[in-house]
Amino acid sequence: MSCELGTLSSPDFTEKDLENMSGYGEKIGVAFQLIDDLIGVHGDSKMTGKFVGNDIREGKKTLPILLAFQNLNSANKDLLRQLFGNKNAKDSEIAEMVDKIAEIRVDKEVRDTANSFAEEAFKTLRCYDQSPALISLKNSAKYIVERSL
């Protein structure tokens, strides 16, 4: 929506501009959410200011958690099932599961997926000449995928 509104504020936008920027915004929004979900199970509490692993306790169905269910060994999958959506799970149990998820490297697959969405977002911008605005959009997308906060 923000990309569409920005386009609509231009005095000479075209329908193609609106379509391109809408596509960019949608794809970069998905990339942002994927990284946000990753940070929720693989971030640093000191940097983010929130308890890492809360998505497990809250039972949020995110790509990192789905990948954890797919890739953890049987015993750890059972533990994740017990913790998933369990509001009474102990912080120490959640922290242990966060460590186990980090060990199986779901972060790489999530970042690769986010990068794919960013690349798709870039494709919607190919028809535009290089400009400071275009460079800013590309730099913003790069930051979104590489961030750790």
Side-chain angles (χ1 to χ4, degrees):
M1 182 59 74
S2 60
C3 290
E4 287 180 19
L5 289 173
T7 303
L8 290 170
S9 69
S10 173
D12 57 352
F13 75 91
T14 65
E15 285 298 317
K16 188 65 176 163
D17 292 332
L18 192 57
E19 181 182 316
N20 288 341
M21 293 311 297
S22 176
Y24 172 85
E26 180 181 334
K27 287 170 180 45
I28 210 62
V30 171
F32 177 91
Q33 190 60 54
L34 287 168
I35 299 302
D36 199 57
D37 292 344
L38 177 61
I39 291 167
V41 297
H42 200 272
D44 181 347
S45 295
K46 292 175 185 134
M47 290 179 69
T48 63
K50 53 186 179 179
F51 182 73
V52 174
N54 247 9
D55 288 356
I56 296 168
R57 181 181 281 122
E58 294 174 8
K60 291 186 179 177
K61 297 173 184 159
T62 66
L63 181 59
I65 293 172
L66 172 66
L67 292 171
F69 272 119
Q70 290 176 347
N71 295 301
L72 286 167
N73 66 35
S74 184
N76 288 331
K77 280 182 193 176
D78 289 342
L79 179 58
L80 181 54
R81 278 188 198 94
Q82 292 171 10
L83 298 174
F84 190 72
N86 181 352
K87 305 272 190 238
N88 298 318
K90 296 177 187 170
D91 287 352
S92 59
E93 294 172 316
I94 298 290
E96 179 184 347
M97 181 50 59
V98 165
D99 289 344
K100 293 190 182 307
I101 291 171
E103 289 171 10
I104 60 170
R105 296 297 315 247
V106 300
D107 59 312
K108 179 177 178 355
E109 190 167 347
V110 173
R111 284 197 189 274
D112 287 349
T113 303
N115 271 314
S116 293
F117 275 94
E119 287 300 319
E120 287 298 313
F122 293 152
K123 287 179 185 177
T124 67
L125 305 177
R126 276 193 267 183
C127 62
Y128 300 107
D129 294 331
Q130 283 293 331
S131 68
L134 184 64
I135 292 167
S136 290
L137 285 172
K138 288 184 176 183
N139 287 340
S140 296
K142 185 177 178 188
Y143 171 77
I144 284 169
V145 174
E146 293 175 359
R147 71 194 174 97
S148 58
L149 285 179

